[in-house]
Structures are given as structure tokens and as C-alpha cells.
């Protein structure tokens, strides 16, 4: 038998393949060609598939929502007000809203919002008149006249819009972002509904909002041709008590799933790091009525990184007494550890603001801000659940009478639990128990909906990673003062949550006993002792034997030294405003040591001078880091100078008035003006925005105007403007 060779078989196979391709060429190649041609989906198909998650107009139409609400928020407050507007639109008019983070959407189709709908912009002003991080792109689109909407032009004819701004009048650029939004939308042809709301955080954001919203809703009703009363009170959440649930899956104060399961991961605002306290001490003179805590937190091996000038966010819990007070006032004292599940009834409008399942006590302690002053608007809702007619009348009066609310609650700094006790005629000074506190049958879903999430408290980091790479230092003055008495509520001690939380940790870490605010006696109320907190954390996660931990994350800042050490530095930071400047000096000190090691003792010859202007009451009472500054000065030599104003000890001014940091600036105006105008120096201000910051800027304008041969109002103001535009005058201030 003859056998075919390997080459013969190969040739035969190729021939068969070519013949097959020829016979079926039309079907094979035409099919291939069709598969490479993109087929455009019809507009209906694209809409139904919802293929573009960044198209808010498509989401509005699909969800039958007539309001789209954009919020520019840095800390969460603007988002809270955006949700409030959405809820009120639903309750007043039955209108559904889409609440949007502008960072997650494109704005080319802003002109496509239907005529029977409207856009709302709830915009916070951040820093030196800047938009919040999530609103940068939105602002760029509105400001850029060359940015084309879907109509091919920068025009928004027919768009109806509403604006509410969040700002602080103590800052120079008060609410400018909301004003810019209004100006750009009007310029593009859009039609504003009502006036531009301007909330002032320095006084009462809540009252500004309440004063604005009623007129806005009236104008809204007319603009959209809708009638009030077509909505209704519908709950945002469903709260269910869970009879059985694995305890290891119940959140008891953990801020993330990773914290609950104790798995490793990135530590940020959604997953804070429990940093061990390595050192803590009192910075003020022992025995004085005020406290200032210095605390050092170990971040070695955590992955947490920081730069000089950054902020550290501390996640506190609510004080024990307020948790107990509200548990009793809500009739939940006996059910404090009952496990509850919470579900949103409208996830697009109201997301569950904290991890669940949890417990009643945990929610009040760790997740919602029950330590804040009770808001006026929500008191009307709570009055419906009053235990008696008298209590109902009290809440209704406080809800409707703005002056009464201001005198009793705002001036008295009354928290929700205290307001409920006051209305029911309970003793506010007694330690709250179920026996002395009248219970209110307020549904817990309303509590969750009405009270904002407990937010971190931010502190300027007072160290440099170049000197302390594994440690973050905090300098925190402890907030403690007495409220204003009213005809129905006596004066009481008020304690800031974040700073007193740190003070508690300092006492525990050092094995110290917290002193009484006022010495005891028969007539002394029980509230004179410092508040206590659950500092051991959920499941004792914040304590390891004698070591206590602080849940933290780092927030980046632009408050930075120039990269060139030849630039002169002017730092103004009285009180704890000196905190970031301690970090600045440490940063320069570390660089100076390296420079000397590399280039010898003359390495700093061309460096610019660092001038620190600091102020406090007395040299023997509240002079922060008194023993450190001479050490820094010794190493840096003539490249560091410190100017100190003691406001409550001599010398005083010739007229007997006190000396402050702005007075020291004026005394040194020749050097400062030269450093700024001729040597291209940088100026940094940190501390109180309400008085100090403005006074310092006024002095700077005066000296620069004088140096330019003009006035503070013209030449001086112009120089300050240029400095800010070029980031050579930077502020880290608070009110």
C-alpha cells in the first residue's frame, strides 16, 4: 500500500481550505464586516439602558424627579441642607428630587432640564473664596464662556434655578461661590427662583436658612405652578428591631466594615486609624481654669502620612450624660442594647448615614450629633409626640417664636435631650434616669433623619514629618464656658465635644483624675464635673492595656512653606494658632540640619528669615511650648525670630490698653514691608477669624500702603490682593 508523505498531506489541506473560503466567501466576509460596524442605539434604547451614569437629566426623567439639587460640600453641611431642601419639596409639594454630588456628573446637558423642573445649587465657600473640592469642575464650566452646553452655546435660556450659599461672615470672601453661581447662571440666561440664600455659620446657619426658605418656596410654587399641600409627612427610614443577629456583625461604634472585621486597608475619612497615644501633657499652668492638651499620636506602620500644615481629623463620641439623657427622653433606656436594622425608604434621597445593624445606644453615642444645639425647625415635628399638652405647647412656641428660641435654646446651648426634658418640666441638672425623665414617643426613624451625622473635629497638626516621621502632634485648647441664663433655663457649663474628648483621653493615658469644674457643695449642680466619654471605643478597640488610642485621619492642606528656603516667612499665630507654625519651624529646622551636614556651618547664609508673631495672656499661664522656642532659635540663629505679646501683663500701651500681635506687627513694619515687597516673602495667619485675622490684615494693608507711598484702602488693599492671588498670603483661620 502506498502512503502519502507529510508534505503531500499539507498541500492537500491547504487546497481544501482555499476552496472552502472561495465557496463561502460572501457569507464569511460579509458577516465579519457587519460585526465591525458600530450600530448606534436609538435614543429610547440608550435612555432605557441608562448607559451614562453621569447624565443627571436622564436620571431625572427616568425617576420622574422635577428637582435636581447639586451640593458643593467640604465637611458635609451643604449636603445636609441639600437633603433638607429635597425633603421639604417632597413634604410640601409631593415633588421628588435627585440630590447630586457635582463631581459625579457632566454639565453639558444642564440646558436640557425640562421647563417644569428646576435646578438647586447649595454651595459652600471654602478657604480663600474657593469652591469646595467636589464643585471645582462645576464652577469651571459655569465660568468659562467658551464651554458649550448641548445647544452648542454657553446659554441656559429657560433654566429655572435656586441658590443657597453657606459661608462665614468673619471671612473676607463671604459666600462668594454662591454669588458667582448666581451671576454666571443669570449671565447665561437662566431664571432665578426667589432670592439667593446666604447662611452665616458665624451666627446661625439654621436661622438664615429658615428665614430664606419660606419666601423661596412661595416663589417656587409660582414658578413651577404647583400647590402646597400635595405632599405629606413620609418617613425617610424604616427602623426594625432584630430579635437575633450575630453579635460579631453588629456595629458598636466602628466607622467602617474594615474596622468591624479588623482587616488592613487604607486609613482615611471612611476608615480612621486608631493611633496610640505615646505622650500627652497639659500646656497651660497647672491649677488654672483653662486647659490646653498637647498629644502625640503614633502612626508608625499605619500607612498614614502627613505634611506640615495639614489637619488631623479626630473622631469623638458623644458624652455619656447626653447619651443617657436622650435614651431616657426617648423611652429607650431599657432597650439601649437592642439590635436595630435601618433601611432607607428612598435611597436616592436619604441614605442611611452610618453602618448598620447597630444598637440604639451606639447610634446616639457614636453616629449622630446629639451634642449640637437643637435646631428650631425640627421642634415642630417633635411636638406631635409630646407626652402631654403642656410639653406640646412649649415645643410649638420654641418652634414658631424665633426670639424665644434664641433666648432659651441658642443662648442656653440646649441639646435635644435637654430641650425635651425642659418641655416636659424635668430637672436639667439632675443625672438623667428613667425615673426623673419623662419619655417621648418619637419614632427613632425621625431621630435618625433629623439629627446630622457626628463629624470629625479638625486640628492643625503641630509637628513636621521631617522631624517626627512616625508621630502626629495635636495642640488643642479645651472648649469650656457658661451659657446665658433665660427665664426658663438657668446658666450651665458647656463643653466642646472634640477637645473634651481629647482631655478625657489625656487624663486616662496619664492615669490622672479629672478635677471638678466647680468645687462640690449642697447647692452645686451635678453637671459641674467634666463630661466623660466611652474612650475605650467599640469592643475596647481604642485601648490596649494602659495604652489608649485616638481614631484619626489626615486632611490635606495648602497651608505650606515655600519650597525655596531663601524666601522670608512672616507667621502670625496667637494662642493655638501657633500650632501649625511649630510644625513650620520644625520643618525648617530639619532642612537646616541637613544643609549644615552637607555644606557646613555657612549653609544657611542665604536663607530667608522666619519671623513668628505670637500672643497669649501671660508668660506664666498660657505661653505654649515656652521651653521649645529658645532651642529652635539657638539652632537656627538669626534665621528665626519670635515676637511675643502678653495681653494681660505689662508692658501695656501708653493709654493702658492691651498689646496684641497686630501691634507687634506694626512696630516691626519696616522689616515686614521690606520682606514682602522687596524680598518676595510669604505671610501666614492662623487662629481666630472673627477679630484677630481681620485686625492683622488691616495692619498689613496699612504698612504696605505706607511703604508704597499711598493708603491702606488703595495701595495696601491692592498689595494684599496680589499676595493672596499668588498664594503668598495664606490663612488657616476659624470662628
Amino acid at each position: 500500500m502506498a502512503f502519502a508523505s507529510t508534505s503531500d498531506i499539507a498541500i492537500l489541506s491547504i487546497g481544501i481550505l482555499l476552496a472552502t473560503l472561495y465557496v463561502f466567501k460572501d457569507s464569511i466576509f460579509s458577516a465579519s464586516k457587519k460585526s465591525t460596524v458600530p450600530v448606534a442605539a436609538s435614543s429610547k434604547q440608550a435612555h432605557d439602558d441608562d448607559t451614562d451614569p453621569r447624565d443627571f437629566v436622564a436620571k431625572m426623567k427616568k425617576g420622574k424627579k422635577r428637582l435636581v439639587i447639586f451640593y458643593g460640600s467640604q465637611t458635609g453641611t451643604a449636603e445636609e441642607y441639600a437633603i433638607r431642601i429635597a425633603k421639604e419639596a417632597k413634604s410640601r409639594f409631593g415633588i421628588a428630587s435627585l440630590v447630586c454630588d457635582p463631581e459625579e456628573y457632566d454639565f453639558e446637558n444642564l440646558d436640557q432640564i425640562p421647563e417644569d423642573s428646576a435646578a438647586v445649587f447649595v454651595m459652600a465657600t471654602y478657604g480663600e473664596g474657593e469652591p469646595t473640592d467636589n464643585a471645582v469642575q462645576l464652577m469651571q464650566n459655569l465660568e468659562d464662556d467658551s464651554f458649550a452646553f448641548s445647544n452648542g452655546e454657553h446659554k441656559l435660556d429657560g433654566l429655572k434655578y435656586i441658590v443657597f450659599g453657606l459661608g462665614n461672615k468673619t471671612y473676607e470672601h463671604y459666600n462668594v461661590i454662591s454669588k458667582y453661581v448666581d451671576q454666571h447662571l443669570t449671565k447665561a440666561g437662566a431664571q432665578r427662583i426667589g432670592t439667593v440664600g446666604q447662611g452665616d455659620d458665624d451666627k446661625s446657619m439654621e436661622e438664615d436658612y429658615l428665614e430664606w426658605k419660606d419666601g423661596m418656596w412661595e416663589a417656587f410654587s409660582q414658578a413651577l405652578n404647583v400647590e402646597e399641600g400635595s405632599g405629606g409627612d413620609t418617613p425617610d427610614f424604616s427602623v426594625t428591631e432584630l430579635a437575633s443577629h450575630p453579635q460579631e456583625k453588629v456595629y458598636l461604634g466602628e466607622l467602617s466594615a474594615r474596622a468591624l472585621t479588623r482587616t488592613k486597608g487604607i486609613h482615611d475619612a471612611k476608615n480612621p486609624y486608631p493611633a496610640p497615644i505615646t505622650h500627652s501633657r497639659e500646656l497651660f499652668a497647672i491649677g488654672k481654669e483653662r486647659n490646653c492638651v498637647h498629644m502625640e499620636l503614633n502612626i508608625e506602620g499605619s500607612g498614614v502620612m502627613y505634611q506640615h500644615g495639614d489637619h488631623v481629623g479626630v473622631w469623638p463620641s458623644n458624652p455619656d450624660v447626653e447619651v443617657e439623657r436622650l435614651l431616657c427622653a426617648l423611652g429607650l433606656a431599657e432597650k439601649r442594647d437592642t439590635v436595630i436594622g435601618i433601611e432607607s425608604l428612598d435611597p436616592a434621597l436619604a441614605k442611611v448615614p452610618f453602618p448598620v445593624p447597630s444598637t440604639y445606644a451606639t447610634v446616639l453615642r457614636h453616629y449622630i450629633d446629639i451634642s449640637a444645639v437643637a435646631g428650631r425647625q425640627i421642634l415642630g415635628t417633635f411636638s406631635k409626640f409630646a407626652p402631654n399638652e403642656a410639653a406640646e405647647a412649649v415645643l410649638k412656641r420654641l418652634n414658631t417664636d424665633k426670639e424665644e428660641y434664641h433666648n432659651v435654646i441658642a443662648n442656653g446651648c440646649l441639646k435635644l435631650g435637654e430641650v425635651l426634658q425642659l418641655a416636659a418640666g424635668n430637672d436639667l441638672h439632675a443625672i438623667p434616669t428613667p425615673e426623673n425623665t419623662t419619655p417621648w414617643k418619637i419614632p427613632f426613624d425621625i431621630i435618625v433623619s433629623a439629627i446630622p451625622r457626628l463629624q470629625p473635629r479638625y486640628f492643625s497638626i503641630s509637628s513636621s514629618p521631617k522631624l517626627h516621621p512616625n508621630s502626629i502632634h495635636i495642640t488643642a485648647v479645651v472648649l469650656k464656658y457658661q451659657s446665658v441664663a433665660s427665664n426658663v433655663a438657668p446658666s450651665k457649663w458647656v463643653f466642646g465635644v472634640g477637645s473634651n474628648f481629647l482631655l478625657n483621653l489625656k487624663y486616662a493615658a496619664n492615669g490622672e483624675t479629672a478635677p471638678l469644674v466647680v468645687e462640690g457643695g449642697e447647692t452645686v449642680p451635678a453637671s459641674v464635673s467634666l463630661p466623660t466619654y466611652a474612650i475605650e471605643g467599640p469592643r475596647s478597640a481604642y485601648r490596649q492595656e494602659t495604652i489608649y488610642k485616638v481614631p484619626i485621619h489626615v486632611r490635606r492642606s495648602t497651608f505650606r512653606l515655600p519650597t525655596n528656603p531663601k524666601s522670608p516667612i512672616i507667621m502670625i499665630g496667637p494662642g493655638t494658632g501657633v500650632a501649625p507654625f511649630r510644625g513650620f519651624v520644625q520643618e525648617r529646622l530639619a532642612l537646616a540640619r541637613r544643609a549644615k551636614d552637607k555644606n557646613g556651618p555657612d549653609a544657611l547664609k542665604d536663607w530667608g528669615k522666619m519671623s513668628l508673631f505670637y500672643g497669649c495672656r501671660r508668660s506664666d499661664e498660657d505661653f505654649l511650648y515656652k521651653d521649645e522656642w529658645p532651642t529652635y532659635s539657638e539652632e537656627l540663629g538669626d534665621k528665626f525670630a519670635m515676637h511675643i505679646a502678653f495681653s494681660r501683663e505689662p508692658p501695656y500701651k501708653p493709654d493702658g490698653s492691651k498689646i496684641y500681635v497686630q501691634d507687634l506687627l506694626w512696630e516691626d513694619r519696616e522689616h515686614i514691608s521690606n520682606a514682602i515687597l522687596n524680598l518676595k516673602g510669604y505671610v501666614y495667619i492662623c487662629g481666630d477669624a472673627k477679630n484677630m485675622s481681620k485686625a492683622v490684615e488691616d495692619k498689613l494693608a496699612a504698612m504696605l500702603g505706607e511703604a508704597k507711598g499711598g493708603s491702606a484702602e488703595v495701595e495696601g488693599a491692592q498689595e494684599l490682593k496680589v499676595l493672596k492671588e499668588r498664594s503668598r498670603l495664606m490663612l488657616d483661620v476659624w470662628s
Side-chain angles (χ1 to χ4, degrees), residues 401-414:
D401 189 331
K402 182 178 178 180
E403 186 175 350
E404 180 78 357
Y405 170 85
H406 179 76
N407 291 336
V408 176
I409 296 181
N411 283 348
C413 300
L414 297 184

Side-chain angles (χ1 to χ4, degrees), residues 281 283 292-297 306-312 459-465 467-468 471-476 576-587 624-625 628-629 632 732:
R281 61 189 171 97
L283 291 176
C292 187
V293 174
H294 170 82
M295 188 168 286
E296 299 177 12
L297 306 175
Y306 76 101
Q307 295 295 323
H308 67 280
D310 282 346
H311 303 124
V312 60
F459 301 89
S460 295
I461 295 176
S462 58
S463 56
S464 162
L467 215 57
H468 301 282
S471 180
I472 285 177
H473 296 189
I474 297 176
T475 308
T576 52
V578 80
F581 301 137
R582 180 174 180 261
F584 278 29
V585 175
Q586 289 183 0
E587 184 84 1
L624 300 182
Y625 303 109
E628 288 187 20
W629 304 113
Y632 299 146
D732 183 2

Side-chain angles (χ1 to χ4, degrees), residues 230-247:
S230 51
D233 288 334
T234 55
D236 297 320
F237 304 105
S238 169
V239 178
T240 307
E241 294 184 355
L242 305 177
S244 61
H245 196 87
Q247 279 299 309

Side-chain angles (χ1 to χ4, degrees), residues 675-677 680-684 723-724 726-730:
I676 295 172
L677 297 175
K680 306 302 180 186
Y682 287 68
V683 183
Y684 300 87
L723 287 174
K724 289 181 178 179
R726 296 178 180 176
S727 297
R728 287 177 49 212
L729 171 55
M730 305 184 74

